[in-house]
Amino acid sequence: MRTLYKTSLTCAAGLLVGAAVMNGCQKGSTLANDSASTTEAARKVYVAPGKHDEYYAYLSGGFNGQVDVYGLPSGRLLKVIPVFSQSPENGYGYNEETKPMLNTSFGHIPWDDLHHPKLSRTNGKPDGRWLFVNGNNTPRIARVDLTTFETAEIIEIPNSAGQHCSPYPTDNNEYVVAGTRFAVPIATDGSGIQDVPLDTYKDKFRASLSFIKVDKTTGNMDIDFQILVPGFDFDLANGGKGPSSDWMFFTSYNTEQAGTLKEIGASQNDKDYLAAINWKKAAEYARQGKAKEIPANYYHNRMDEKTHMATSTNKKTVRILMPEDCPGMMYLIPVPKSPHGVDIDPTGENIVVNGKLAAAIPVHSYSKMIKAIENKSFDKSISGIPVLKYESVLAGEVVKPGLGPLHTEFDAKGNAYTSMFVSSEVVKWNVKTREVLDRIPVYYSIGHLMIPGGDTQNPDGNYLLAMNKITKDRYLPTGPELAQTAQLIDISGDKMKMLLDFPTFGEPHYAQAIKADVVAKNSKKFYRLDENAHPHATTKEPDARVERKGNQVHVYMTAIRSHLAPDNIEGIHVGDEVYFHVTNLEQDWDVPHGFAVMGNQNAELLIMPGQTRTLKWVPTKSGVTPFYCTDFCSALHQEMQGYARVSPKGANTPIKFWLGESKKPAI
Ligand code: RUQ
Ligand code: CUA
């Protein structure tokens, strides 16, 4: 069954592109039967019990709005980091401290479609400090702190819709960028996205490219400026490197500006455009006052490191630059129609544009681009943006590489690896000669691929991770919904070798990986209780108490192995807003406590050592309600429980609380 499906898929493609892909089919079918290579593959990915993986890999969760952390080469799942989605596991987005992280101008949006993780960089190398990810739906960028593996900040991007080409960093992390995938009618008077007839697409719809400044010390983000550009669909981006590091490149499709049936309308022109933006020049124009400040409405949410509470700021202005006012800032470079990824090789000279529908992969030259700009080798201009001549920028093409090229990454030996969605394979080629060197089938229909550091100046050349869109028969069936599949490929030799399949969740689009020791040494073990600045923290058990303020009841609770203080509470009435502010008094690694209340319509908490978390509960029924720790924390974990007595609305049961007979406090 497996062989049949795979054969029909890659060999059908083989018919179209020639013998090269047929080769791939043969190799794919031999691997499973070849016990020598299976043993060798198993040895390469085997991480013995108690041993650690060589890499952290951060895989996007796509439509689950999370980031999954895996160890490579084992493919072991280490952690799921909630970013744009609420997490019932630890209360992220449900508890009072983290709820504001999900505020947007549309209200509380507890989900998103997370596509691209990007590690922060110092001098062109991943530095292991932060992971930036995009929310493709409600345009947002988040920053994950890699000392805590928690979401530290989320910024909404105004004047944008469907923010796919994001969050691509510049080579030294000065900026992360974000581009609009869906052109929308953006008003320059700040009234946001307008209500206009949909057949005014060509005249009224625009896109924006946003440049978000990243603070070098704190990682804090802020939108510096946006560039308003023609209403193409901006798809993917990547920053230049080394010599080209002042530039940011964005692919665009639908340069025809079709507003309906884009499947046909967006494929009329033979060429679409790669936008090249000199971000240093743009920043300079913005500084010089060329940027117009317009009204806007967006949210900026940040976790405070001391209080562990998120604050949410509603921002009211943004600065915009118009390309026609800023000569030398932006150029358009023709590329074969409907391109997807743009990837720049480690030298910064070769710009690879992956055209989903193109028969060849064009490689543009950065130095030729600069010459073409100097020589004014322009075809025309669009909205004041010069369009460079295709041939004047082109270094050459990879001819007949495979079908449906989407993304390219690089190794340290001058090779490129391109994912082929339609012919389900990874194709290795030499960046200088553009000659195809090797190909390997993947199962099935690969999207992104990732080489640790393969998008930076400093790639590691041992592994490649293929992230496939279709799983079919690769695992035991689990009903209609299947996990997605990742495949680890050994690229250390001349020939690529398949090592491992492992399941992934949501839909991993892109991923990043970094040598484990860069990140592991900074990983936080617990929060210090003496630094806990949460306004409702209770850092000593004798201070545990219950206070009523109108219809609010605040429970200042502590948790330590193996009791909650207080564990008996009376005086709560139906309809009260009860806030459990629970402080975990432990000062040791890996001793979280959980907290849950029967029938709470909100969620539960998972409180890290030294941390305070607040759970809101609005009781709907009178009676006695148990609460308890949900994380098996000690031999007496099951004893870590208590009761809240809920009296009917209007009853006059007084507030009373205690822990143990001898500790019964005064009312
Ligand atoms: S995408 S499969 Cu990055 Cu959203 Cu290319
Ligand atoms: Cu604390 Cu179980």
Side-chain angles (χ1 to χ4, degrees), residues 142 352 445 457 562:
V352 180
S445 298
Q457 285 192 44
S562 300

mmCIF file of all heavy atoms in Angstrom, residues 142 352 445 457 562:
data_model
loop_
_atom_site.group_PDB
_atom_site.id
_atom_site.type_symbol
_atom_site.label_atom_id
_atom_site.label_comp_id
_atom_site.label_asym_id
_atom_site.label_seq_id
_atom_site.Cartn_x
_atom_site.Cartn_y
_atom_site.Cartn_z
ATOM 1 N N ALA A 142 5.076 37.177 18.004
ATOM 2 C CA ALA A 142 5.348 36.872 19.403
ATOM 3 C C ALA A 142 6.833 36.608 19.584
ATOM 4 O O ALA A 142 7.521 36.171 18.666
ATOM 5 C CB ALA A 142 4.549 35.660 19.841
ATOM 6 N N VAL A 352 17.821 32.853 -3.757
ATOM 7 C CA VAL A 352 17.118 31.753 -4.413
ATOM 8 C C VAL A 352 15.617 31.979 -4.292
ATOM 9 O O VAL A 352 15.099 32.143 -3.187
ATOM 10 C CB VAL A 352 17.503 30.409 -3.753
ATOM 11 C CG1 VAL A 352 16.783 29.251 -4.423
ATOM 12 C CG2 VAL A 352 19.017 30.212 -3.792
ATOM 13 N N SER A 445 4.671 15.077 0.029
ATOM 14 C CA SER A 445 4.396 16.481 -0.253
ATOM 15 C C SER A 445 4.995 17.409 0.806
ATOM 16 O O SER A 445 4.301 17.985 1.642
ATOM 17 C CB SER A 445 2.880 16.724 -0.372
ATOM 18 O OG SER A 445 2.381 15.976 -1.444
ATOM 19 N N GLN A 457 24.320 32.650 8.318
ATOM 20 C CA GLN A 457 25.679 32.655 7.779
ATOM 21 C C GLN A 457 26.457 31.423 8.204
ATOM 22 O O GLN A 457 27.543 31.181 7.704
ATOM 23 C CB GLN A 457 26.429 33.895 8.308
ATOM 24 C CG GLN A 457 26.021 35.190 7.664
ATOM 25 C CD GLN A 457 27.014 36.294 8.027
ATOM 26 O OE1 GLN A 457 28.217 36.091 8.003
ATOM 27 N NE2 GLN A 457 26.497 37.469 8.352
ATOM 28 N N SER A 562 2.904 18.933 51.072
ATOM 29 C CA SER A 562 1.817 18.536 50.180
ATOM 30 C C SER A 562 0.504 19.124 50.699
ATOM 31 O O SER A 562 -0.418 18.410 51.047
ATOM 32 C CB SER A 562 1.708 17.018 50.125
ATOM 33 O OG SER A 562 2.932 16.478 49.639
#
